Amino acid sequence: MAQVLEFRLPDLGEGLTEAEIVRWLVEVGDVVAVDQPVVEVETAKAMVDVPCPYAGVVTARFGEEGSELPVGAPLITVAVGAAAPGGSTADSDGSAGGSGNVLVGYGTSEAPARRRRVRPAPAVPAAANGRSIAAEPSEELDDGPRAQTVGRDASGAIAAVRAGAPEAVVDGPVPVISPLVRRLARENGLDLKELTGSGPDGLILRADVEYALRAAAVQTRTAPVPAATPATAPATTPGGTRVPLKGVRGAVADKLSRSRTEIPDATCWVDADATELMRARAAMNATGAPKISLLALLARICTAALARFPELNSTVDMAAREIVRLDAVHLGFAAQTERGLVVPVVKDAHARDAEALSAEFARLTEAARTGTLTPAELTGGTFTLNNYGVFGVDGSTPIINHPEAAMLGVGRIIPKPWVHEGELAVRQVVQLSLTFDHRVCDGGTAGGFLRYVADCVEQPAVLLRTL
């Protein structure tokens, strides 16, 4: 006998609480194997294929493409042990199967032990939507905290009351966990206290709300049409369009707002003659070895400067009222993509030479462009390098990437009049800016860091002292 198991959106790590459905990889009725990807989701950090820990037949999908789901919300239901379209069984031994993937709440090597118990189903009068449940004993399988049995065969409907009876209305707290369910009900004017949930312990699921809304729509279509009354237009922004702050854009908004709220930042800047740095790079790339990027040279300068001024490679723990100076330099760099601004992180940048930095920058930039960066590649930075010169601008006062303590900004390198060796000449000039957390250091330290960076840009041989 088949069991219909519910697979919920797992915790994808790095403190993520929700994800947007980008593309479904399976249809209702498809046979899936253990660890087969069933949906592609976009978190605030990366695109992720979510594998299913069960083998069986897909009986339902929750959420349309483009919708957001919180962690723990139902994704799909899978009939384990159901007959496949070709006549075979999706899981011949009737077990739920095990997953080798490490997903929070899933990832077991085999199905957990199940206890079978029989309990009588309470007599339930006909619900407001016209459905009822017979008062007969029902069997329930206890599959652990995540694998809830929501039905007993592949073709049967979910045996639950979608819209509760009037006596179910109580004054206590509504059994809802998902903020998405609350929002869906609120936006459609649905009182959750009038519903009886089909989840564990009466938990109201999104499917319960959607069923109640569909039932209400049917009643509306079959009800007599009243006399026409002037319709009230929904509130809109005059001459504008509302764009939801979600996904990458929402994550950027939250992080920048937090930075501005918590970090007392200050900015200093200086112009530098980058002519010699550009010549040094040209000489390196003329040897036939792998090309060295300008960003890699600037990163190498940053790591050398941070070794001299470690105060800027730190974070602030206000709960403990401590400044935490970090040993390793994990260098983030701003990258603009079609999905928005992302900041990939080069781990252990202080231990890499210019060639290794060039290769890693190229790899992470391509991954950012294709949307395949992992959450681990987008977190853990200790200092950020922002090359906004690629946008054709000279200067900026960037916002610090919380919880870091500083960010170096680099403008475009262009020919400008410059006094060189006592004479006016045309040189390649760049503007450098440093935004720093004033809690970790004073202006003297920040100015010393920026001056050292400018000296290395103007005279790359300065770096030879620390190589």
Side-chain angles (χ1 to χ4, degrees):
M1 184 177 294
Q3 305 166 14
V4 180
L5 302 181
E6 187 177 77
F7 173 44
R8 298 168 178 261
L9 178 64
D11 183 349
L12 300 174
E14 301 295 341
L16 300 175
T17 59
E18 61 186 8
E20 178 180 344
I21 297 175
V22 175
R23 180 168 58 99
W24 282 105
L25 305 178
V26 295
E27 301 287 343
V28 173
D30 287 354
V31 177
V32 295
V34 172
D35 290 344
Q36 176 181 333
V38 294
V39 65
E40 182 182 21
V41 300
E42 179 181 17
T43 70
K45 299 182 181 297
M47 303 277 279
V48 181
D49 286 343
V50 180
C52 178
Y54 312 128
V57 178
V58 177
T59 59
R61 301 187 317 193
F62 299 93
E64 300 297 328
E65 294 180 356
S67 62
E68 283 189 345
L69 293 180
V71 169
L75 267 181
I76 63 172
T77 54
V78 178
V80 176
S88 61
T89 60
D91 190 349
S92 58
D93 63 0
S95 65
S99 168
N101 277 345
V102 181
L103 297 175
V104 176
Y106 301 94
T108 57
S109 59
E110 59 183 11
R114 296 191 292 273
R115 302 186 303 274
R116 184 178 296 276
R117 61 180 182 269
V118 178
R119 60 179 177 84
V124 180
N129 54 27
R131 297 193 303 174
S132 63
I133 298 179
E136 61 180 10
S138 61
E139 293 182 345
E140 180 177 306
L141 291 176
D142 187 356
D143 283 315
R146 288 288 184 177
Q148 289 86 6
T149 301
V150 295
R152 290 198 300 270
D153 57 76
S155 59
I158 297 176
V161 179
R162 299 296 190 186
E167 58 268 24
V169 179
V170 296
D171 294 330
V174 179
V176 178
I177 294 178
S178 169
L180 183 66
V181 172
R182 292 185 182 274
R183 185 177 68 184
L184 183 63
R186 182 174 62 252
E187 291 176 350
N188 290 276
L190 183 64
D191 187 357
L192 289 172
K193 291 185 177 181
E194 297 178 358
L195 301 184
T196 298
S198 62
D201 300 323
L203 182 67
I204 297 176
L205 307 177
R206 177 175 178 172
D208 301 319
V209 176
E210 290 177 338
Y211 182 87
L213 294 177
R214 287 196 298 269
V218 170
Q219 292 176 0
T220 301
R221 287 196 296 267
T222 57
V225 179
T229 57
T232 302
T236 58
T237 302
T241 302
R242 291 181 177 268
V243 180
L245 273 176
K246 61 181 183 178
V248 174
R249 188 73 261 158
V252 170
D254 292 340
K255 196 154 193 174
L256 297 184
S257 297
R258 183 177 183 184
S259 178
R260 277 294 192 216
T261 301
E262 296 184 10
I263 299 178
D265 59 356
T267 302
C268 54
W269 57 89
V270 66
D271 288 341
D273 180 1
T275 305
E276 295 303 323
L277 180 66
M278 300 301 289
R279 288 176 179 172
R281 175 174 177 255
M284 294 178 189
N285 291 338
T287 61
K291 300 294 185 181
I292 303 298
S293 67
L294 179 61
L295 190 61
L297 294 179
L298 293 171
R300 186 65 189 88
I301 292 172
C302 274
T303 58
L306 289 172
R308 284 176 167 252
F309 301 92
E311 297 92 336
L312 295 171
N313 191 53
S314 62
T315 187
V316 176
D317 184 352
M318 288 302 296
R321 297 194 66 81
E322 294 176 342
I323 297 172
V324 183
R325 292 185 181 175
L326 306 169
D327 297 328
V329 178
H330 303 316
L331 189 66
F333 66 100
Q336 191 70 35
T337 70
E338 293 181 355
R339 298 173 58 238
L341 177 68
V342 294
V343 184
V345 177
V346 177
K347 299 299 173 64
D348 296 317
H350 63 289
R352 300 174 186 260
D353 59 20
E355 284 190 4
L357 287 168
S358 292
E360 186 67 357
F361 279 130
R363 185 188 70 82
L364 292 173
T365 299
E366 178 61 19
R369 187 186 64 81
T370 57
T372 57
L373 286 168
T374 65
E377 292 170 333
L378 287 164
T379 55
T382 64
F383 186 92
T384 297
L385 176 60
N386 187 357
N387 182 19
Y388 45 76
V390 297
F391 302 118
V393 297
D394 296 325
S396 173
T397 55
I399 300 175
I400 295 173
N401 189 19
H402 184 280
E404 298 170 12
M407 177 185 294
L408 178 69
V410 182
R412 60 178 178 169
I413 301 176
I414 57 173
K416 283 186 177 181
W418 191 266
V419 177
H420 176 65
E421 296 180 349
E423 295 183 358
L424 189 63
V426 176
R427 306 286 287 183
Q428 300 292 320
V429 178
V430 62
Q431 185 179 99
L432 306 171
S433 63
L434 177 71
T435 298
F436 63 99
D437 185 341
H438 227 312
R439 295 174 298 179
V440 304
C441 69
D442 295 324
T445 300
F449 174 93
L450 189 59
R451 186 64 258 171
Y452 179 80
V453 170
D455 289 343
C456 291
V457 167
E458 293 184 339
Q459 301 179 34
V462 172
L463 279 175
L464 294 175
R465 296 179 60 88
T466 58
L467 291 181

